[in-house]
mmCIF file with all atom_site columns, all heavy atoms in Angstrom:
data_model
loop_
_atom_site.group_PDB
_atom_site.id
_atom_site.type_symbol
_atom_site.label_atom_id
_atom_site.label_alt_id
_atom_site.label_comp_id
_atom_site.label_asym_id
_atom_site.label_entity_id
_atom_site.label_seq_id
_atom_site.pdbx_PDB_ins_code
_atom_site.Cartn_x
_atom_site.Cartn_y
_atom_site.Cartn_z
_atom_site.occupancy
_atom_site.B_iso_or_equiv
_atom_site.pdbx_formal_charge
_atom_site.auth_seq_id
_atom_site.auth_comp_id
_atom_site.auth_asym_id
_atom_site.auth_atom_id
_atom_site.pdbx_PDB_model_num
ATOM 1   N N   . LYS A 1 3  ? -33.204 50.153 -12.358 1.00 50.00 ? 10 LYS A N   1
ATOM 2   C CA  . LYS A 1 3  ? -32.729 49.690 -11.058 1.00 50.00 ? 10 LYS A CA  1
ATOM 3   C C   . LYS A 1 3  ? -33.648 48.623 -10.490 1.00 50.00 ? 10 LYS A C   1
ATOM 4   O O   . LYS A 1 3  ? -34.830 48.555 -10.800 1.00 50.00 ? 10 LYS A O   1
ATOM 5   C CB  . LYS A 1 3  ? -32.636 50.859 -10.076 1.00 50.00 ? 10 LYS A CB  1
ATOM 6   C CG  . LYS A 1 3  ? -31.570 51.900 -10.429 1.00 50.00 ? 10 LYS A CG  1
ATOM 7   C CD  . LYS A 1 3  ? -31.480 52.961 -9.361  1.00 50.00 ? 10 LYS A CD  1
ATOM 8   C CE  . LYS A 1 3  ? -30.376 53.967 -9.687  1.00 50.00 ? 10 LYS A CE  1
ATOM 9   N NZ  . LYS A 1 3  ? -30.251 54.997 -8.634  1.00 50.00 ? 10 LYS A NZ  1
ATOM 10  N N   . HIS A 1 4  ? -33.064 47.778 -9.647  1.00 55.00 ? 11 HIS A N   1
ATOM 11  C CA  . HIS A 1 4  ? -33.821 46.754 -8.927  1.00 55.00 ? 11 HIS A CA  1
ATOM 12  C C   . HIS A 1 4  ? -33.232 46.670 -7.529  1.00 55.00 ? 11 HIS A C   1
ATOM 13  O O   . HIS A 1 4  ? -32.045 46.362 -7.370  1.00 55.00 ? 11 HIS A O   1
ATOM 14  C CB  . HIS A 1 4  ? -33.726 45.406 -9.641  1.00 55.00 ? 11 HIS A CB  1
ATOM 15  C CG  . HIS A 1 4  ? -34.461 44.302 -8.937  1.00 55.00 ? 11 HIS A CG  1
ATOM 16  N ND1 . HIS A 1 4  ? -35.835 44.302 -8.824  1.00 55.00 ? 11 HIS A ND1 1
ATOM 17  C CD2 . HIS A 1 4  ? -34.016 43.186 -8.311  1.00 55.00 ? 11 HIS A CD2 1
ATOM 18  C CE1 . HIS A 1 4  ? -36.209 43.217 -8.170  1.00 55.00 ? 11 HIS A CE1 1
ATOM 19  N NE2 . HIS A 1 4  ? -35.120 42.528 -7.841  1.00 55.00 ? 11 HIS A NE2 1
ATOM 20  N N   . HIS A 1 5  ? -34.038 46.982 -6.533  1.00 59.00 ? 12 HIS A N   1
ATOM 21  C CA  . HIS A 1 5  ? -33.560 47.018 -5.150  1.00 59.00 ? 12 HIS A CA  1
ATOM 22  C C   . HIS A 1 5  ? -32.340 47.932 -5.013  1.00 59.00 ? 12 HIS A C   1
ATOM 23  O O   . HIS A 1 5  ? -31.392 47.623 -4.286  1.00 59.00 ? 12 HIS A O   1
ATOM 24  C CB  . HIS A 1 5  ? -33.209 45.614 -4.654  1.00 59.00 ? 12 HIS A CB  1
ATOM 25  C CG  . HIS A 1 5  ? -34.389 44.692 -4.587  1.00 59.00 ? 12 HIS A CG  1
ATOM 26  N ND1 . HIS A 1 5  ? -35.561 45.001 -3.909  1.00 59.00 ? 12 HIS A ND1 1
ATOM 27  C CD2 . HIS A 1 5  ? -34.592 43.467 -5.136  1.00 59.00 ? 12 HIS A CD2 1
ATOM 28  C CE1 . HIS A 1 5  ? -36.425 44.006 -4.027  1.00 59.00 ? 12 HIS A CE1 1
ATOM 29  N NE2 . HIS A 1 5  ? -35.870 43.071 -4.775  1.00 59.00 ? 12 HIS A NE2 1
ATOM 30  N N   . GLY A 1 6  ? -32.361 49.030 -5.758  1.00 59.00 ? 13 GLY A N   1
ATOM 31  C CA  . GLY A 1 6  ? -31.274 49.992 -5.643  1.00 59.00 ? 13 GLY A CA  1
ATOM 32  C C   . GLY A 1 6  ? -30.046 49.674 -6.460  1.00 59.00 ? 13 GLY A C   1
ATOM 33  O O   . GLY A 1 6  ? -29.097 50.447 -6.476  1.00 59.00 ? 13 GLY A O   1
ATOM 34  N N   . GLU A 1 7  ? -30.024 48.515 -7.159  1.00 65.00 ? 14 GLU A N   1
ATOM 35  C CA  . GLU A 1 7  ? -28.867 48.124 -7.965  1.00 65.00 ? 14 GLU A CA  1
ATOM 36  C C   . GLU A 1 7  ? -29.144 48.384 -9.446  1.00 65.00 ? 14 GLU A C   1
ATOM 37  O O   . GLU A 1 7  ? -30.240 48.142 -9.930  1.00 65.00 ? 14 GLU A O   1
ATOM 38  C CB  . GLU A 1 7  ? -28.551 46.641 -7.768  1.00 65.00 ? 14 GLU A CB  1
ATOM 39  C CG  . GLU A 1 7  ? -28.164 46.286 -6.351  1.00 65.00 ? 14 GLU A CG  1
ATOM 40  C CD  . GLU A 1 7  ? -27.866 44.807 -6.208  1.00 65.00 ? 14 GLU A CD  1
ATOM 41  O OE1 . GLU A 1 7  ? -28.115 44.061 -7.196  1.00 65.00 ? 14 GLU A OE1 1
ATOM 42  O OE2 . GLU A 1 7  ? -27.396 44.393 -5.145  1.00 65.00 ? 14 GLU A OE2 1
ATOM 43  N N   . VAL A 1 8  ? -28.110 48.893 -10.146 1.00 57.00 ? 15 VAL A N   1
ATOM 44  C CA  . VAL A 1 8  ? -28.247 49.131 -11.580 1.00 57.00 ? 15 VAL A CA  1
ATOM 45  C C   . VAL A 1 8  ? -28.236 47.798 -12.323 1.00 57.00 ? 15 VAL A C   1
ATOM 46  O O   . VAL A 1 8  ? -27.304 47.006 -12.162 1.00 57.00 ? 15 VAL A O   1
ATOM 47  C CB  . VAL A 1 8  ? -27.106 50.024 -12.103 1.00 57.00 ? 15 VAL A CB  1
ATOM 48  C CG1 . VAL A 1 8  ? -27.207 50.172 -13.623 1.00 57.00 ? 15 VAL A CG1 1
ATOM 49  C CG2 . VAL A 1 8  ? -27.143 51.392 -11.434 1.00 57.00 ? 15 VAL A CG2 1
ATOM 50  N N   . ILE A 1 9  ? -29.271 47.531 -13.109 1.00 54.00 ? 16 ILE A N   1
ATOM 51  C CA  . ILE A 1 9  ? -29.309 46.281 -13.879 1.00 54.00 ? 16 ILE A CA  1
ATOM 52  C C   . ILE A 1 9  ? -29.304 46.536 -15.377 1.00 54.00 ? 16 ILE A C   1
ATOM 53  O O   . ILE A 1 9  ? -29.149 45.614 -16.176 1.00 54.00 ? 16 ILE A O   1
ATOM 54  C CB  . ILE A 1 9  ? -30.545 45.430 -13.513 1.00 54.00 ? 16 ILE A CB  1
ATOM 55  C CG1 . ILE A 1 9  ? -31.829 46.207 -13.800 1.00 54.00 ? 16 ILE A CG1 1
ATOM 56  C CG2 . ILE A 1 9  ? -30.467 44.988 -12.068 1.00 54.00 ? 16 ILE A CG2 1
ATOM 57  C CD1 . ILE A 1 9  ? -33.099 45.380 -13.610 1.00 54.00 ? 16 ILE A CD1 1
ATOM 58  N N   . GLY A 1 10 ? -29.491 47.803 -15.775 1.00 55.00 ? 17 GLY A N   1
ATOM 59  C CA  . GLY A 1 10 ? -29.479 48.099 -17.199 1.00 55.00 ? 17 GLY A CA  1
ATOM 60  C C   . GLY A 1 10 ? -29.433 49.588 -17.440 1.00 55.00 ? 17 GLY A C   1
ATOM 61  O O   . GLY A 1 10 ? -29.706 50.400 -16.549 1.00 55.00 ? 17 GLY A O   1
ATOM 62  N N   . ILE A 1 11 ? -29.062 49.942 -18.686 1.00 57.00 ? 18 ILE A N   1
ATOM 63  C CA  . ILE A 1 11 ? -29.006 51.339 -19.095 1.00 57.00 ? 18 ILE A CA  1
ATOM 64  C C   . ILE A 1 11 ? -29.937 51.515 -20.274 1.00 57.00 ? 18 ILE A C   1
ATOM 65  O O   . ILE A 1 11 ? -29.812 50.813 -21.297 1.00 57.00 ? 18 ILE A O   1
ATOM 66  C CB  . ILE A 1 11 ? -27.567 51.740 -19.479 1.00 57.00 ? 18 ILE A CB  1
ATOM 67  C CG1 . ILE A 1 11 ? -26.649 51.572 -18.264 1.00 57.00 ? 18 ILE A CG1 1
ATOM 68  C CG2 . ILE A 1 11 ? -27.525 53.170 -19.999 1.00 57.00 ? 18 ILE A CG2 1
ATOM 69  C CD1 . ILE A 1 11 ? -25.191 51.817 -18.578 1.00 57.00 ? 18 ILE A CD1 1
ATOM 70  N N   . ASN A 1 12 ? -30.886 52.450 -20.155 1.00 57.00 ? 19 ASN A N   1
ATOM 71  C CA  . ASN A 1 12 ? -31.843 52.675 -21.231 1.00 57.00 ? 19 ASN A CA  1
ATOM 72  C C   . ASN A 1 12 ? -31.121 53.057 -22.521 1.00 57.00 ? 19 ASN A C   1
ATOM 73  O O   . ASN A 1 12 ? -30.219 53.895 -22.514 1.00 57.00 ? 19 ASN A O   1
ATOM 74  C CB  . ASN A 1 12 ? -32.825 53.788 -20.855 1.00 57.00 ? 19 ASN A CB  1
ATOM 75  C CG  . ASN A 1 12 ? -33.773 53.355 -19.759 1.00 57.00 ? 19 ASN A CG  1
ATOM 76  O OD1 . ASN A 1 12 ? -34.099 52.187 -19.655 1.00 57.00 ? 19 ASN A OD1 1
ATOM 77  N ND2 . ASN A 1 12 ? -34.196 54.294 -18.920 1.00 57.00 ? 19 ASN A ND2 1
ATOM 78  N N   . SER A 1 13 ? -31.531 52.441 -23.622 1.00 53.00 ? 20 SER A N   1
ATOM 79  C CA  . SER A 1 13 ? -30.928 52.758 -24.918 1.00 53.00 ? 20 SER A CA  1
ATOM 80  C C   . SER A 1 13 ? -31.940 53.303 -25.905 1.00 53.00 ? 20 SER A C   1
ATOM 81  O O   . SER A 1 13 ? -31.591 53.982 -26.859 1.00 53.00 ? 20 SER A O   1
ATOM 82  C CB  . SER A 1 13 ? -30.266 51.510 -25.513 1.00 53.00 ? 20 SER A CB  1
ATOM 83  O OG  . SER A 1 13 ? -31.218 50.488 -25.721 1.00 53.00 ? 20 SER A OG  1
ATOM 84  N N   . ALA A 1 14 ? -33.236 53.001 -25.702 1.00 50.00 ? 21 ALA A N   1
ATOM 85  C CA  . ALA A 1 14 ? -34.272 53.483 -26.616 1.00 50.00 ? 21 ALA A CA  1
ATOM 86  C C   . ALA A 1 14 ? -35.626 53.340 -25.952 1.00 50.00 ? 21 ALA A C   1
ATOM 87  O O   . ALA A 1 14 ? -35.807 52.517 -25.051 1.00 50.00 ? 21 ALA A O   1
ATOM 88  C CB  . ALA A 1 14 ? -34.252 52.700 -27.931 1.00 50.00 ? 21 ALA A CB  1
ATOM 89  N N   . VAL A 1 15 ? -36.569 54.160 -26.398 1.00 52.00 ? 22 VAL A N   1
ATOM 90  C CA  . VAL A 1 15 ? -37.932 54.090 -25.886 1.00 52.00 ? 22 VAL A CA  1
ATOM 91  C C   . VAL A 1 15 ? -38.893 54.077 -27.066 1.00 52.00 ? 22 VAL A C   1
ATOM 92  O O   . VAL A 1 15 ? -38.763 54.881 -27.989 1.00 52.00 ? 22 VAL A O   1
ATOM 93  C CB  . VAL A 1 15 ? -38.256 55.299 -24.966 1.00 52.00 ? 22 VAL A CB  1
ATOM 94  C CG1 . VAL A 1 15 ? -39.726 55.266 -24.573 1.00 52.00 ? 22 VAL A CG1 1
ATOM 95  C CG2 . VAL A 1 15 ? -37.388 55.282 -23.727 1.00 52.00 ? 22 VAL A CG2 1
ATOM 96  N N   . ASN A 1 16 ? -39.824 53.143 -27.063 1.00 54.00 ? 23 ASN A N   1
ATOM 97  C CA  . ASN A 1 16 ? -40.844 53.061 -28.106 1.00 54.00 ? 23 ASN A CA  1
ATOM 98  C C   . ASN A 1 16 ? -42.008 53.955 -27.701 1.00 54.00 ? 23 ASN A C   1
ATOM 99  O O   . ASN A 1 16 ? -42.849 53.585 -26.874 1.00 54.00 ? 23 ASN A O   1
ATOM 100 C CB  . ASN A 1 16 ? -41.300 51.610 -28.280 1.00 54.00 ? 23 ASN A CB  1
ATOM 101 C CG  . ASN A 1 16 ? -42.320 51.460 -29.394 1.00 54.00 ? 23 ASN A CG  1
ATOM 102 O OD1 . ASN A 1 16 ? -42.741 52.443 -30.003 1.00 54.00 ? 23 ASN A OD1 1
ATOM 103 N ND2 . ASN A 1 16 ? -42.713 50.216 -29.657 1.00 54.00 ? 23 ASN A ND2 1
ATOM 104 N N   . THR A 1 17 ? -42.084 55.149 -28.278 1.00 54.00 ? 24 THR A N   1
ATOM 105 C CA  . THR A 1 17 ? -43.118 56.113 -27.903 1.00 54.00 ? 24 THR A CA  1
ATOM 106 C C   . THR A 1 17 ? -44.508 55.661 -28.325 1.00 54.00 ? 24 THR A C   1
ATOM 107 O O   . THR A 1 17 ? -45.510 56.170 -27.826 1.00 54.00 ? 24 THR A O   1
ATOM 108 C CB  . THR A 1 17 ? -42.821 57.483 -28.530 1.00 54.00 ? 24 THR A CB  1
ATOM 109 O OG1 . THR A 1 17 ? -42.731 57.341 -29.949 1.00 54.00 ? 24 THR A OG1 1
ATOM 110 C CG2 . THR A 1 17 ? -41.516 58.049 -27.993 1.00 54.00 ? 24 THR A CG2 1
#
Side-chain angles (χ1 to χ4, degrees):
K10 293 184 178 181
H11 179 67
H12 296 307
E14 297 180 352
V15 176
I16 60 174
I18 299 175
N19 290 330
S20 61
V22 174
N23 182 357
T24 57

